[in-house]
Amino acid sequence: MPNPNPIGIFDSGVGGISVLKEIRLLMPGEDILYYADSAHCPYGTQPPENIRQRTIKISQFLINIGAKIIVAACNTASIAGLDYLRQEFQSPIVGMEPAIKPAAKITRNGKVGVLATGVTINGDRFNSLLTRFACDIEVINVPCPGLVEQVEMGLLDTLETTALLRKFLSPLIKNGVDTVVLGCTHYPFLRLLVESIMGPEVNVIDTGCAVAKRLQQVLQEEDLLSDKAPVYATESFYTSGNASQVSQVIKNLWDHPNITVKYIEL
Ligand code: DGL
């Protein structure tokens, strides 16, 4: 039986919109709820316990308003809290992790750079990824404090954002990596800038599309897919931050003029 209930997606802020875009492309008939935890952003410099508490509150909210499945569209929240979320809720939960496995497959020179938050890079789940898939390649991890804030403000190509990125990418250039993993959902919005700094020979990859595919697979397996006509599919946005600012930034990032965001503190 088709299930018309919405998919619940959350992130520390607007980064998860990079995942929402892929989900919408793959599943145009699904209703979507999106929670941007902008008042508590960035997650990547906070103690993992704080992040876990936020993700549990947000997931509970999304489930209360009808979400049939939760997508943690945030590497940091997934690394810090996915196991806890799965223990806490019966609903299926889809998380994400930096694209280490695909990077290890496509690198030609065995040198990969990862841009992510400090919490992601120091997380056990991330280290287990390295052990499982990257033991015979060189991986250079670069935490990027300050970058998420630039995307939250919609400053995608300013001098300051460019200078920050140049600083974070310089150890990767020095080491001659041929593959860069965007290990935070905010960073795909900076892809063009990363590509222009790294040059055309370097692969720049993220996991938004893979997460959308995994979500579709889980919905199929659990018999939760909607059969709505795309024209009736809706998106509802919520934030703990400044609703008008968040809505302005989402409009630009997603290139959709008619978005309203509701303020809801949890
Ligand atoms: N978008 C996030 C991620 O994928 C969170 C970044 C942050 O809030 O520090 O990791």
Side-chain angles (χ1 to χ4, degrees), residues 19-68:
V19 181
L20 178 150
K21 273 180 165 179
E22 301 290 345
I23 292 173
R24 181 43 88 225
L25 274 179
L26 194 64
M27 289 170 277
E30 295 288 341
D31 283 352
I32 292 176
L33 309 171
Y34 184 95
Y35 191 90
D37 198 13
S38 315
H40 302 92
C41 185
Y43 281 177
T45 48
Q46 296 186 42
E49 185 47 36
N50 287 9
I51 303 169
R52 278 173 214 138
Q53 284 173 12
R54 291 305 303 160
T55 60
I56 287 174
K57 276 195 180 156
I58 296 165
S59 302
Q60 187 66 68
F61 164 71
L62 292 169
I63 290 168
N64 287 350
I65 59 170
K68 60 187 170 188

Side-chain angles (χ1 to χ4, degrees), residues 199-220:
E201 301 298 313
V202 173
N203 310 304
V204 179
I205 59 173
D206 71 277
T207 47
C209 180
V211 171
K213 284 187 185 152
R214 174 72 192 137
L215 170 65
Q216 188 179 43
Q217 189 187 14
V218 176
L219 288 172
Q220 224 147 25

Side-chain angles (χ1 to χ4, degrees), residues 24-222:
R24 181 43 88 225
L25 274 179
L26 194 64
M27 289 170 277
E30 295 288 341
D31 283 352
I32 292 176
L33 309 171
Y34 184 95
Y35 191 90
D37 198 13
S38 315
H40 302 92
C41 185
Y43 281 177
T45 48
Q46 296 186 42
E49 185 47 36
N50 287 9
I51 303 169
R52 278 173 214 138
Q53 284 173 12
R54 291 305 303 160
T55 60
I56 287 174
K57 276 195 180 156
I58 296 165
S59 302
Q60 187 66 68
F61 164 71
L62 292 169
I63 290 168
N64 287 350
I65 59 170
K68 60 187 170 188
I69 191 165
I70 298 295
V71 181
C74 176
N75 293 269
T76 308
S78 301
I79 295 282
L82 201 58
D83 297 334
Y84 296 82
L85 281 183
R86 288 191 171 138
Q87 273 166 27
E88 193 78 18
F89 299 105
Q90 305 259 294
S91 312
I93 316 263
V94 173
M96 59 195 302
E97 55 196 20
I100 299 298
K101 190 178 172 188
K105 274 198 191 139
I106 61 172
T107 177
R108 300 171 302 267
N109 67 4
K111 292 182 181 193
V112 168
V114 180
L115 303 182
T117 69
V119 168
T120 295
I121 288 170
N122 292 315
D124 291 344
R125 279 183 90 94
F126 180 70
N127 281 302
S128 143
L129 269 182
L130 294 180
T131 319
R132 281 179 292 143
F133 303 115
C135 51
D136 51 359
I137 61 168
E138 191 183 338
V139 180
I140 299 145
N141 298 315
V142 183
C144 305
L147 215 47
V148 161
E149 288 89 328
Q150 295 299 108
V151 178
E152 284 295 304
M153 291 187 286
L155 305 175
L156 304 186
D157 54 7
T158 61
L159 287 176
E160 199 188 341
T161 308
T162 310
L164 264 178
L165 255 186
R166 279 193 191 284
K167 181 178 83 180
F168 296 135
L169 290 171
S170 88
L172 306 187
I173 295 170
K174 233 179 258 161
N175 280 280
V177 307
D178 71 359
T179 303
V180 175
V181 173
L182 304 177
C184 165
T185 54
H186 283 75
Y187 304 164
F189 294 113
L190 303 170
R191 175 190 297 276
L192 288 180
L193 207 48
V194 174
E195 285 173 346
S196 76
I197 296 170
M198 294 306 293
E201 301 298 313
V202 173
N203 310 304
V204 179
I205 59 173
D206 71 277
T207 47
C209 180
V211 171
K213 284 187 185 152
R214 174 72 192 137
L215 170 65
Q216 188 179 43
Q217 189 187 14
V218 176
L219 288 172
Q220 224 147 25
E221 286 166 4
E222 306 273 336

